[in-house]
Amino acid sequence: MEIEQQALSNPTGVETIEISGSVALLEALIAEGTEVIFGYPGGAIMPIYDALYDYKEKLNHILVRHEQGGIHAGQGFARTSGKVGVVFATSGPGATNLVTGLADAMIDSTPLVCITGQVFAHLLGTDAFQETDVINITTPVTKWNYQVTDATEIPEVLSKAFYIARSGRPGPVLIDITKNAQIQKFDYSGYTPCNHIRSYRPKPLIRNEYIEQAAALINQAKKPFVLWGQGVILGEAEKEFKAFVEKSGIPSAWTILGAGAIPTDHPLNVGMLGMHGNYGPNVLTNECDVMIAIGMRFDDRVTGRLDKYAKQAKIIHLDIDPSEIDKNVQTTVPVWGDCKETLPALTALIQQKTYPEWLKKFRDFDQKEIEAVINDELHPASGELTMGEVISHLNELTHGEAIIVTDVGQHQMVACRYAKLNKTRSNVTSGGLGTMGFALPAAIGAKFGAPERTVVAVIGDGGFQMTLQELGTIMQSNIDVKILILNNRFLGMVRQWQELFNQHRYSFVDIESPDFVALAAAYRIKGKSISERGEISSSLKEMLEHKGSFLLEVMVTKENNVFPMVPQGCSVSEIRLK
Amino acid sequence: MDSNKINIAPASLSSGEPARAGTDGGRDEAKQEFTITVYTENQIGLLNRIAIIFTRRKINIHSLNTSPSEIESIHRFNIVVQETEDVVRKLSRQIEKQVEVLKVYFNTNDDIIWQEMALYKVPTDIIAEKASVERLLRENGARAVVIRKDYTVFETTGHREETDALIRILQPFGLIEFVRSARVAIIKNSDGFNRKLREFEKAEPGEDVNENEYLNKGQRIFTM
Ligand SMILES: Cc1ncc(C[n+]2csc(CCOP(=O)(O)OP(=O)(O)O)c2C)c(N)n1
């Protein structure tokens, strides 16, 4: 075994050695620098797990409690590390349990390579035990998928899988490997990473004409406005982006997936866009004269009503994916390309400027928002606890250095609005799909992706109960994640809509929870539940200082609403403060 | 060149008053027949990947043809839809985004030469009895493919109206069965795909591969 392994990692010349498809797969993962695999075994993937038995030293496999947990962990890992997340699942139910995570990764452009076992090739289409047509089920939710039925295909297919997952606009790839291909032995001649597929253009060619036109528009603008999204982070263009913003002097706002690309308290960061974003960025969207959208896709949660969205503005859209240009908002100057390359080119052509009056408008709106919403949310003098004050105390203790993973609902909006982020890749949330149950497993992966950083998962009482089985993964793998449950005893976000738009008709949003602290204890995780204002800071401190995972439940007021809010079907400028 | 690729700039943007042909403005645009031509790798599952781009948006594919192109290992799809240009452009971009798709073009009927083939099965005795039927068939460019005692199969090739017209003509004479192929179309203004493919094979492809609908049209993007 020892000798064989050496030969494998050192493939020279045309020498070949005979290995199984499963071993070829694991060699490919090692060659691609895989640090951790989140997986769950089963019949159709057993040959791979058997091979993994001999690779324990080289590949760290984390046994999750549900394949959905596995894929969300892979996503969390990819989001904080910038690398490709790797996930294993068996055929049939194992594979179908990946679908939510694939859809989530697809819409949030998260690079993943998922390996599913499949029944023997000769059984395909026979309704064999645990056979599902996983390729067709996952086609709409993968950037690419492929079924391997012959072991000799494995090295090349894996190299393509990794290349496709991480290049261009990243996304999830699924490789389905029939059991016979996992077992089959073949002459292996080493692994060659892929860097070109003739039918695949990860990056559009950059056209200087566009850059020049964009610069001309920016240089003449009186009220320019930058909107940035996750593209800046995915393109590892944070520095280039900061240089652009600082030279241009343009007020800049973020989508929730873009949060943290420049620090929260950067003087030109004017806040969050969208339905629960800040007041100024939403209202002034309909006042700017030139809008510069960078690595964002004009999701309807960001734009509100489209026919009343920034109609007065000339729009410059920088995106690596040409299909995003004009998809939702008609572009004046489309700057196709990787923003790591287009931004410096644009920065070189723009004038150094400041817009004090225009920036002041944002700050004036901030003031209104602080008075109408933020003060009560972050610094309530009396009454029950608010979600915002918990996040505010957390900021004071972490100084913005922690990774904040959020689930979906009111707590997500509150955490994204108020969490202080000093660093990029600090905000992990399910943006496009809004997947409840995302946070706990994603936090596990996030910790593997950034082991030296503190990871705090902010979760609602509803969402926690969707994937709480992953407490088992935390227990068994000794992972240090801080779990902060903001318990309002409601499916809060849905309740908010029912209150505001369905005349308080609370239809099935009242949710009971178990004793979360006792539950954590059952998993040997320390926990605490609080409901007093005076305990917030000390309890958060205890959680953060505790060695290992910790669950802190904060009982918050039941019927608080997240404001501001752009009601569905309304224009961004019709944003409500209450 | 290549005015026929995915594209056509929002024409009005250079005239000062942006018409916002996108999303919202696009709804008023008239629907018409578009033929989408797709060059792809020969890959299992790709047909599904392309089809779901339409079905996801609840768009009906009027006609779909897929077959090997003049180039070894490259397949060519012809897809016909009745949609606005704005929608077709977005569909085309989504198709071109697929990993195994090389290139997508979309064209109106003015830009292409197209044909559909149809087969008609009619009772032989009626044809034999009524000489006029045979004359009608010949006048409509049909030719007999099979003549048997019990039935005869005629074939004709043409546009939809032509193949439809023959159905109406044959109906009174006991048309037994009819079938029509999908549309195949040649783009008038194209140089084929051979040269382009060589560009695609390079690791750093030139402008030919990364065509740009706005700039290649030679139009300015905006005026201020
Ligand atoms: C898997 C899934 N199911 C349903 C929803 C719809 N949904 C969005 S927010 C929400 C309520 C979340 O409640 P909770 O987790 O308690 O968080 P809160 O809003 O109270 O902070 C629901 C049900 C969803 N986003 N995801």
Side-chain angles (χ1 to χ4, degrees):
Chain A
M1 194 66 220
E2 201 57 74
I3 298 157
E4 183 178 310
Q5 299 247 331
Q6 258 180 12
L8 287 185
S9 49
N10 203 2
T12 44
V14 284
E15 269 173 57
T16 62
I17 42 163
E18 200 186 54
I19 60 169
S20 69
S22 296
V23 171
L25 167 73
L26 301 183
E27 284 296 326
L29 298 184
I30 291 169
E32 292 289 349
T34 304
E35 290 164 18
V36 57
I37 301 161
F38 300 97
Y40 208 93
I45 197 171
M46 283 190 64
I48 291 172
Y49 272 84
D50 185 58
L52 198 54
Y53 189 81
D54 293 324
Y55 276 73
K56 273 188 229 149
E57 306 299 312
K58 293 182 176 174
L59 286 166
N60 184 16
H61 177 279
I62 299 298
L63 179 69
V64 293
R65 292 297 179 272
H66 185 290
E67 291 83 355
Q68 183 187 352
I71 190 164
H72 290 331
Q75 293 179 270
F77 171 82
R79 293 273 280 271
T80 57
S81 69
K83 297 176 189 152
V84 178
V86 177
V87 182
F88 283 1
T90 192
S91 69
T96 56
N97 278 345
L98 296 180
V99 171
T100 303
L102 288 170
D104 195 291
M106 186 70 178
I107 201 163
D108 281 351
S109 308
T110 310
L112 295 179
V113 169
C114 300
I115 307 294
T116 49
Q118 182 56 282
V119 301
F120 285 89
H122 72 270
L123 293 174
L124 288 171
T126 65
D127 301 320
F129 178 64
Q130 293 193 328
E131 183 197 357
T132 337
D133 184 357
V134 61
I135 292 296
N136 278 306
I137 287 177
T138 61
T139 293
V141 290
T142 50
K143 184 173 174 187
W144 189 64
N145 60 9
Y146 188 83
Q147 184 173 65
V148 173
T149 51
D150 188 304
T152 59
E153 296 178 282
I154 288 177
E156 196 191 330
V157 168
L158 262 290
S159 67
K160 276 176 81 172
F162 275 91
Y163 174 58
I164 292 166
R166 73 171 151 245
S167 59
R169 179 176 181 173
V173 169
L174 182 138
I175 305 298
D176 193 37
I177 308 178
T178 57
K179 203 167 176 180
N180 57 294
Q182 299 170 31
I183 298 166
Q184 181 195 339
K185 300 228 169 175
F186 71 106
D187 290 333
Y188 175 76
S189 58
Y191 185 82
T192 318
C194 173
N195 58 18
H196 176 66
I197 298 171
R198 69 176 180 183
S199 58
Y200 171 59
R201 293 281 137 245
K203 292 183 189 179
L205 202 72
I206 293 168
R207 306 286 189 134
N208 285 329
E209 295 92 321
Y210 286 162
I211 312 261
E212 285 159 16
Q213 286 162 353
L217 268 183
I218 293 169
N219 286 336
Q220 291 171 55
K222 302 275 177 297
K223 296 176 180 179
F225 184 27
V226 166
L227 316 183
W228 91 83
Q230 196 194 194
V232 172
I233 297 169
L234 291 171
E236 298 178 353
E238 293 92 343
K239 258 201 216 132
E240 292 79 1
F241 175 63
K242 187 158 173 275
F244 168 77
V245 169
E246 289 176 354
K247 184 174 181 193
S248 70
I250 302 175
S252 305
W254 39 274
T255 71
I256 62 169
L257 289 194
I262 56 172
T264 307
D265 49 15
H266 189 282
L268 289 167
N269 183 341
V270 294
M272 173 169 151
L273 293 163
M275 185 174 270
H276 293 292
N278 292 112
Y279 197 39
N282 275 302
V283 174
L284 296 172
T285 289
N286 282 356
E287 203 181 310
C288 66
D289 60 353
V290 175
M291 175 180 270
I292 305 115
I294 305 172
M296 57 85 77
R297 58 188 176 82
F298 293 108
D299 179 270
D300 60 284
R301 282 292 192 269
V302 161
T303 63
R305 197 172 148 168
L306 260 187
D307 62 355
K308 291 189 179 171
Y309 183 79
K311 286 301 177 194
Q312 78 296 340
K314 303 264 190 214
I315 293 176
I316 300 168
H317 192 175
L318 286 74
D319 209 290
I320 197 165
D321 177 356
S323 73
E324 286 301 337
I325 306 287
D326 290 349
K327 188 183 82 179
N328 295 333
V329 171
Q330 188 71 44
T331 305
T332 319
V333 181
V335 184
W336 299 6
D338 181 345
C339 64
K340 192 163 180 82
E341 296 161 39
T342 53
L343 276 171
L346 192 54
T347 307
L349 297 183
I350 57 170
Q351 295 152 9
Q352 177 108 33
K353 275 197 184 174
T354 56
Y355 301 87
E357 274 169 43
W358 173 230
L359 188 61
K360 185 169 174 297
K361 278 206 153 178
F362 285 90
R363 298 309 175 199
D364 291 346
F365 276 109
D366 280 352
Q367 211 46 50
K368 284 188 194 149
E369 186 178 339
I370 288 169
E371 281 158 27
V373 178
I374 298 178
N375 273 342
D376 289 343
E377 182 64 41
L378 299 192
H379 313 291
S382 59
E384 290 183 299
L385 307 188
T386 66
M387 292 182 177
E389 66 182 312
V390 179
I391 302 299
S392 174
H393 280 290
L394 186 65
N395 286 339
E396 276 165 31
L397 294 166
T398 62
H399 309 289
E401 293 293 313
I403 290 173
I404 307 293
V405 184
T406 56
D407 211 73
V408 172
Q410 292 185 313
H411 65 280
Q412 174 191 33
M413 291 298 114
V414 170
C416 288
R417 282 175 55 80
Y418 299 113
K420 186 167 144 47
L421 309 173
N422 296 344
K423 293 198 176 101
T424 186
R425 296 191 180 276
S426 296
N427 182 45
V428 179
T429 193
S430 167
L433 204 67
T435 305
M436 282 174 73
F438 176 82
L440 187 64
I444 295 171
K447 184 68 186 180
F448 278 99
E452 71 296 345
R453 298 185 64 190
T454 300
V455 174
V456 181
V458 182
I459 318 184
D461 44 318
F464 184 70
Q465 293 184 67
M466 282 209 173
T467 48
L468 63 77
Q469 74 283 352
E470 299 307 331
L471 290 174
T473 309
I474 293 173
M475 168 181 71
Q476 185 172 358
S477 304
N478 267 317
I479 302 155
D480 180 0
V481 294
K482 313 302 184 193
I483 304 159
L484 179 56
I485 299 179
L486 300 180
N487 187 347
N488 55 10
R489 282 85 85 211
F490 268 124
L491 296 175
M493 186 56 92
V494 179
R495 186 210 54 75
Q496 172 169 349
W497 283 48
Q498 289 177 348
E499 177 191 329
L500 298 176
F501 312 116
N502 295 346
Q503 302 79 42
H504 276 88
R505 287 152 53 89
Y506 288 172
S507 183
F508 303 98
V509 289
D510 201 331
I511 185 166
E512 276 184 31
S513 294
D515 178 339
F516 289 132
V517 175
L519 190 73
Y523 286 99
R524 302 198 294 273
I525 294 168
K526 196 158 190 278
K528 187 172 183 181
S529 179
I530 59 168
S531 49
E532 296 298 323
R533 184 148 288 125
E535 299 173 298
I536 300 176
S537 188
S538 59
S539 305
L540 284 170
K541 194 156 184 276
E542 183 185 348
M543 173 182 88
L544 293 169
E545 284 174 357
H546 180 76
K547 283 208 170 23
S549 287
F550 193 102
L551 182 149
L552 177 63
E553 176 188 33
V554 183
M555 306 307 277
V556 295
T557 183
K558 287 188 75 171
E559 298 186 52
N560 217 7
N561 289 335
V562 187
F563 280 110
M565 179 173 196
V566 180
Q568 205 164 35
C570 291
S571 158
V572 281
S573 56
E574 294 171 283
I575 185 166
R576 287 167 56 173
L577 283 174
K578 54 172 147 273
Chain B
M1 44 151 309
D2 271 307
S3 56
N4 54 322
K5 68 200 174 297
I6 313 190
N7 70 59
I8 304 155
S12 50
L13 284 177
S14 49
S15 67
E17 171 61 349
R20 307 264 173 194
T23 334
D24 42 312
R27 288 200 194 109
D28 321 324
E29 248 185 85
K31 287 189 181 185
Q32 58 171 318
E33 211 164 69
F34 279 94
T35 300
I36 302 172
T37 303
V38 187
Y39 286 100
T40 75
E41 298 290 351
N42 178 15
Q43 185 76 59
I44 293 174
L46 190 55
L47 174 61
N48 186 29
R49 237 177 218 287
I50 291 174
I52 60 178
I53 290 170
F54 295 83
T55 51
R56 172 178 176 188
R57 295 168 177 80
K58 207 162 184 214
I59 291 170
N60 193 19
I61 294 177
H62 285 224
S63 153
L64 166 69
N65 182 77
T66 160
S67 66
S69 73
E70 69 274 20
I71 304 162
E72 162 118 27
S73 83
I74 302 283
H75 273 233
R76 177 177 176 142
F77 286 58
N78 270 154
I79 304 166
V80 182
V81 290
Q82 179 84 21
E83 273 303 333
T84 65
E85 183 181 317
D86 183 53
V87 168
V88 174
R89 177 184 299 110
K90 285 174 188 166
L91 290 169
S92 301
R93 285 183 177 171
Q94 294 297 332
I95 298 169
E96 195 167 270
K97 188 162 136 177
Q98 304 308 314
V99 170
E100 279 130 353
V101 170
L102 288 115
K103 199 76 199 128
V104 181
Y105 302 91
F106 68 82
N107 299 92
T108 61
N109 290 345
D110 291 341
D111 305 333
I112 56 169
I113 309 291
W114 84 95
Q115 296 280 281
E116 290 170 347
M117 193 187 83
L119 297 176
Y120 309 78
K121 187 157 108 184
V122 282
T124 304
D125 47 357
I126 297 192
I127 313 277
E129 273 168 35
K130 302 197 178 179
S132 60
V133 178
E134 226 196 312
R135 203 187 66 238
L136 279 173
L137 284 162
R138 294 203 193 289
E139 275 171 14
N140 280 278
R143 71 181 177 92
V145 188
V146 171
I147 304 172
R148 287 171 41 131
K149 255 203 229 119
D150 44 350
Y151 64 80
T152 299
V153 175
F154 290 95
E155 174 268 345
T156 184
T157 301
H159 285 187
R160 179 66 58 97
E161 311 79 64
E162 295 161 315
T163 49
D164 270 352
L166 199 51
I167 302 179
R168 278 194 303 277
I169 290 168
L170 291 177
Q171 212 70 271
F173 302 107
L175 175 67
I176 302 167
E177 197 179 333
F178 163 78
V179 64
R180 179 162 42 214
S181 76
R183 168 185 294 193
V184 290
I186 288 269
I187 303 165
K188 288 178 186 168
N189 175 22
S190 95
D191 311 331
F193 207 68
N194 255 312
R195 184 177 53 82
K196 213 155 251 168
L197 183 67
R198 286 197 294 278
E199 284 293 314
F200 275 93
E201 276 162 354
K202 293 183 194 159
E204 290 294 333
E207 304 208 341
D208 238 19
V209 169
N210 282 288
E211 281 170 313
N212 188 301
E213 63 186 68
Y214 295 90
L215 290 178
N216 289 8
K217 281 294 271 191
Q219 251 177 329
R220 281 190 58 75
I221 303 300
F222 64 91
T223 51
M224 270 196 67

